[in-house]
Amino acid sequence: MMDELLEYGIYLALLVALAVPLSAYMNRVMAGEKVAVLSRVLVPVENAVYRVIRVDKNESMGWKKYLVSAFAFSALCLVGLFALLMLQGVLPLNPEGLPGLSWDLAFNTAVSFVTNTNWQAYSGEASLSYFSQAIGLTVQNFVTPAVGLAVLFALFRGLVSTGDRGLGNFFVDVTRAVLFVLLPLSLVVAIVDVQQGSPQNFNEYETVQLLEPVGVDADGNIVEADDPAAVKTIDQATVPMGPQASQVAIKQLGTNGGGFNGVNSASALENPTPLTNLVQCLSLLLIPVACVFSFGRFVADRRQGRAVFAAMFILLLVALVAIAVFEQTGTPQLAADGQVCMGTLDQSGGNMEGKETRFGVTDSSLWAAFTTAASNGSVNAMHDSFTPLGGMVPMVLMALGEVVFGGVGSGLYGMLGFVILTVFIAGLMVGRTPEYLGKKIGPKEMRMAVILCITTPLLILVSATVLALDPATAASLNNSGAHGFSEVLYATVSAGGNNGSAFAGFNANTQMINVVLGLEMLANRFIPIAAALVLAGSMCTRQKVAVGAGTLSTSNALFVFLLILMVLLVGALTMFPALALGPVAEHLMMML
């Protein structure tokens, strides 16, 4: 166990060590300051973009114009991607001759990628052309996290402003986020992936000879080639090609998560070696963690950033340890009679179902915690095969509102809603008007903070109710009972948290499920964006007040404890009845 703890410690230390300097770089970029070599190369490109889209980079938008711009840009992306997916069959770069998607799957997929969710009710290599993957999905993987980062910095400006109603320029913020942050980092990760063996081409799929033939029985199950039940022998396999490394890099860095292949980062094509696993796993949380340190730098009080970081980090650490323990100890059925290796010496032990032997329980648990803490959703193991409680922890991380670092930009502005809610409640307890960063918190700010806090759990529960009442949902499950309900709940939690990971046993490609989850993803992306910008617009008009003897500190250990408590009360307890019907009930049945 000490080796596993050491590995986790190294990952977390590397994550923080990389995020701190990145935070300083991001602040300079978003302020329009020069950044060494990149400015000489990219500033002319940036200015050319402004000329093409006819944007005055010196204009500073109020919250209403900023919000309309964000919504209009996202709507344009949604319509364009929807049309592209529907027309895939007549577009170029389609060597496999794949047809266009059905309207409901195209809607679900377009919404998914425009909302930074990347929920996939299809298998990419069998459903999408290279054009759809590279021009449709990968482009959205860049612009959607850029929108989240833009909204976050608009909120930063509102928090520190002392009367200026301008929150910056949405189009300038998005352009800088793409050109100076996402593109350079993605280039580095893509080069590592290609060097380690990930495909990056437009070749036709390759057919290879299997080292050992396999058989298929009458029900379509894989059996031994010489099994009497085999009705067909297969000795060849198709290997997908295409621009995989470029999509994988930004799917991780942009907290997108949508895989080029159906099995996502468990695929040896997307994640071929321990080095790529390390780089990609760090990429999951790199920018979200940097955003927290950027906050402290932006408000000129790094203690504020460290306090929010401490709350997020503690929640992440508890979740990581819990997943690792549940997966390592397995279930009573796995541990009985020594039939399954539960140790860690010399080989991977514990609950290895649904996990790659090259990653084992340790790396699978780490990835599961990171990808559901971030609103990423890529997986290197099948969460449907986790133990009941091991699978519940990722659900809880998502159900908290993806505020344990969360998505690029969206995670932190969601957590700042909890910060303001905590300040308000703590202020009531000591009989003072609540203040944050030297500004009074009024009723309007509180309403926006509450919207930021409760939108995710509310949408999750509503969507889960609708799907549970639909008879077609039961037909989409691979399991009945508590685990079947967990599959449905995980889907709605993932969509509601703009995460995109899934319990693999759930066939989500039905009209009802596609539409319900699509609407849920839209609501949970854009309601918080609207609340964050209204909050920014309200805060920017408030004047700073002097700090008094009774001012509540928002940077000490007590506040960190209160913030964690508030996140758990709103998120975890709201979801507890649903969790009790799914993973908790399944765990209790296994203990009987």
Side-chain angles (χ1 to χ4, degrees):
M1 192 65 183
M2 290 304 298
D3 291 340
E4 286 74 18
L5 292 176
L6 177 62
E7 180 176 342
Y8 293 157
I10 292 172
Y11 267 83
L12 293 169
L14 283 173
L15 179 63
V16 175
L18 293 170
V20 171
L22 178 59
S23 68
Y25 171 78
M26 286 167 51
N27 278 19
R28 293 183 62 191
V29 164
M30 299 306 285
E33 299 176 14
K34 291 185 178 181
V35 284
V37 178
L38 284 180
S39 287
R40 290 197 293 271
V41 176
L42 295 178
V43 166
V45 179
E46 178 189 0
N47 291 331
V49 171
Y50 300 148
R51 286 195 298 271
V52 170
I53 62 177
R54 298 183 180 181
V55 166
D56 179 7
K57 68 177 183 180
N58 296 314
E59 178 190 7
S60 186
M61 300 176 176
W63 74 263
K64 292 180 181 178
K65 187 171 183 179
Y66 204 102
L67 177 60
V68 170
S69 298
F71 277 20
F73 177 76
S74 299
L76 182 63
C77 291
L78 176 61
V79 172
L81 183 55
F82 175 77
L84 187 154
L85 295 172
M86 291 279 288
L87 297 173
Q88 171 182 269
V90 298
L91 293 173
L93 296 177
N94 187 5
E96 299 302 304
L98 298 170
L101 303 186
S102 64
W103 74 266
D104 55 297
L105 182 56
F107 167 75
N108 181 277
T109 304
V111 166
S112 175
F113 279 79
V114 170
T115 60
N116 201 221
T117 308
N118 291 37
W119 169 265
Q120 294 175 289
Y122 60 88
S123 184
E125 73 275 32
S127 302
L128 297 183
S129 68
Y130 294 163
F131 191 88
S132 295
Q133 297 265 32
I135 305 302
L137 305 189
T138 303
V139 168
Q140 290 307 308
N141 282 348
F142 278 98
V143 298
T144 54
V147 170
L149 198 61
V151 172
L152 178 65
F153 273 84
L155 178 57
F156 286 176
R157 296 177 190 121
L159 290 173
V160 301
S161 176
T162 54
D164 183 3
R165 294 177 179 271
L167 299 178
N169 188 304
F170 170 78
F171 298 103
V172 171
D173 289 339
V174 168
T175 302
R176 287 173 177 167
V178 170
L179 289 179
F180 290 91
V181 180
L182 297 172
L183 271 175
L185 289 174
S186 297
L187 182 61
V188 172
V189 174
I191 289 173
V192 172
D193 287 349
V194 170
Q195 192 277 328
Q196 292 293 296
S198 287
Q200 183 65 25
N201 56 52
F202 289 99
N203 299 339
E204 293 185 4
Y205 288 9
E206 295 185 1
T207 300
V208 298
Q209 199 72 24
L210 293 178
L211 295 176
E212 182 178 347
V214 297
V216 180
D217 65 16
D219 296 324
N221 300 313
I222 301 297
V223 297
E224 297 289 339
D226 56 358
D227 192 311
V231 297
K232 183 180 180 181
T233 300
I234 298 176
D235 59 4
Q236 291 183 329
T238 300
V239 179
M241 293 288 105
Q244 299 196 28
S246 56
Q247 181 168 327
V248 168
I250 187 57
K251 88 171 186 182
Q252 309 297 26
L253 286 162
T255 60
N256 298 288
F260 192 98
N261 300 285
V263 293
N264 210 283
S265 293
S267 166
L269 297 173
E270 293 193 27
N271 187 13
T273 69
L275 177 59
T276 60
N277 195 70
L278 167 66
V279 171
Q280 291 182 32
C281 196
L282 291 174
S283 300
L284 297 174
L285 283 173
L286 178 59
I287 298 179
V289 173
C291 285
V292 182
F293 293 118
S294 290
F295 170 63
R297 293 175 184 272
F298 201 100
V299 300
D301 186 354
R302 297 192 187 185
R303 296 173 302 168
Q304 303 296 333
R306 287 195 290 266
V308 175
F309 170 80
M312 291 177 166
F313 188 81
I314 290 169
L315 289 168
L316 174 64
L317 192 60
V318 171
L320 172 58
V321 172
I323 296 172
V325 169
F326 292 140
E327 293 306 298
Q328 188 63 63
T329 55
T331 64
Q333 291 79 6
L334 288 174
D337 303 322
Q339 297 298 310
V340 176
C341 172
M342 304 306 292
T344 59
L345 185 63
D346 298 329
Q347 70 178 64
S348 295
N351 176 29
M352 281 295 295
E353 181 187 341
K355 298 180 177 65
E356 278 283 304
T357 54
R358 57 202 173 105
F359 301 139
V361 166
T362 302
D363 285 350
S364 299
S365 299
L366 181 71
W367 192 294
F370 275 29
T371 197
T372 51
S375 66
N376 186 283
S378 66
V379 295
N380 71 351
M382 299 301 104
H383 293 184
D384 192 41
S385 296
F386 279 29
T387 61
L389 297 185
M392 182 184 74
V393 176
M395 280 196 226
V396 172
L397 282 172
M398 294 183 290
L400 294 177
E402 296 280 9
V403 296
V404 183
F405 298 114
V408 172
S410 59
L412 182 53
Y413 63 66
M415 178 58 97
L416 289 175
F418 279 101
V419 169
I420 291 174
L421 182 61
T422 305
V423 167
F424 177 77
I425 293 176
L428 292 179
M429 296 169 87
V430 297
R432 286 185 56 87
T433 302
E435 302 169 10
Y436 186 56
L437 301 178
K439 294 185 175 183
K440 298 286 187 183
I441 303 298
K444 186 174 183 179
E445 291 81 12
M446 276 308 306
R447 287 194 292 270
M448 296 305 105
V450 169
I451 290 173
L452 284 168
C453 295
I454 70 169
T455 296
T456 298
L458 180 61
L459 289 172
I460 289 169
L461 294 175
V462 170
S463 298
T465 301
V466 173
L467 292 188
L469 293 173
D470 179 23
T473 301
S476 298
L477 301 176
N478 282 354
N479 299 276
S480 58
H483 191 78
F485 179 75
S486 294
E487 291 176 351
V488 178
L489 181 62
Y490 194 103
T492 59
V493 169
S494 180
N498 288 143
N499 183 271
S501 62
F503 266 19
F506 184 51
N507 172 29
N509 189 15
T510 71
Q511 281 193 6
M512 174 65 81
I513 295 172
N514 281 333
V515 171
V516 169
L517 295 185
L519 294 174
E520 182 186 7
M521 289 185 280
L522 278 173
N524 198 60
R525 173 68 168 179
F526 294 109
I527 291 175
I529 282 179
L533 290 175
V534 173
L535 175 62
S538 181
M539 290 292 286
C540 73
T541 62
R542 294 191 175 273
Q543 298 297 319
K544 294 259 187 178
V545 295
V547 176
T551 300
L552 175 72
S553 172
T554 55
S555 61
N556 58 15
L558 175 60
F559 185 79
V560 171
F561 168 77
L562 291 174
L563 179 57
I564 293 173
L565 183 63
M566 194 59 57
V567 170
L568 294 176
L569 284 174
V570 174
L573 288 186
T574 302
M575 292 299 300
F576 180 76
L579 294 171
L581 295 173
V584 174
E586 185 182 3
H587 173 75
L588 293 176
M589 286 188 290
M590 284 187 171
M591 300 302 292
L592 295 177

